Amino acid sequence: MTSPDDFQSPHPASLSLEKTIYTLEQMEQINVPQVALAGRSNVGKSSMLNCLANRKSLAKTSSVPGKTRSLNYYLVHPDHFYLVDLPGYGYAKRSKSERNAWGNLMRRFFTSNKSLAGLILILDSRLPPQLPDREMAAMALEQSLPLLPVLTKADKCTQREIAATKLAWTNLLGPESRPLLFSAKTRQGREMLWEQIRLLLSSSGTPMSEP
Ligand SMILES: Nc1nc2c(ncn2[C@@H]2O[C@H](COP(=O)(O)OP(=O)(O)O)[C@@H](O)[C@H]2O)c(=O)[nH]1
Ligand SMILES: [Mg+2]
């Protein structure tokens, strides 16, 4: 679906939810190039997807954390690749067995996925690096997967807070990591994010399949 915004954008795109996967058994080898999105529950992942898609409720947003447990595959048109919405993590009320199941699913996703071009790690601009975020980053880097850190909810921060969070992540991930500032509310960083997503795909060597 297109919206008037798309016509002003150098990167018109529309997203549609194609597959929802809950278990290891359901996970299949999908030969379409993919970029994954991960973040702690409530960080603003669904809002980011909706902003990228110019839609209000393509991905369900919620003030109740820990709702989404599936991997949601959004097909991007006209490029023909998937944005894969990974289940949120770091939700305290989850049981140990649920956390283990999540860990297994993530490991499997990262280790046996040849079509994966990169990981967008969605982080809260207001917070210093949190342990589950660092673990998620480590999981991607172990697989030599390109990582794009995105600091979201930038509209809630002062420049000073943003600079501090940026510096903390750059110190952890290296000077090349260049965290991107984003806000689903003001749409700050949207164009740059599309650009970076396409850069991940074009530099990954993952063949783009014919639509
Ligand atoms: N101010 C502000 N609020 C946001 C932003 N992104 C998400 N939120 C709010 O944060 C809450 C969680 O967002 P959601 O997208 O559901 O997070 P998810 O659990 O990571 O998918 C919701 O109340 C959103 O309205 C943002 O960029 N700015
Ligand atoms: Mg969500």
Side-chain angles (χ1 to χ4, degrees), residues 2-22:
T2 51
S3 81
D5 265 2
D6 286 332
F7 300 108
Q8 296 151 22
S9 162
H11 303 296
S14 67
L15 267 64
S16 60
L17 181 60
E18 294 271 313
K19 292 176 198 287
T20 301
I21 287 175
Y22 288 90

Side-chain angles (χ1 to χ4, degrees), residues 42 123-128 152-153 156-157 161 165:
N42 230 32
L123 305 158
D124 194 318
S125 335
R126 298 167 299 180
L127 299 178
T152 193
K153 303 191 183 179
K156 290 193 168 192
C157 289
E161 287 169 321
T165 311

Side-chain angles (χ1 to χ4, degrees), residues 27-44:
M27 201 185 284
E28 51 194 306
Q29 286 297 335
I30 301 168
N31 286 323
V32 176
Q34 296 156 40
V35 171
L37 292 99
R40 280 182 306 122
S41 291
N42 230 32
V43 73

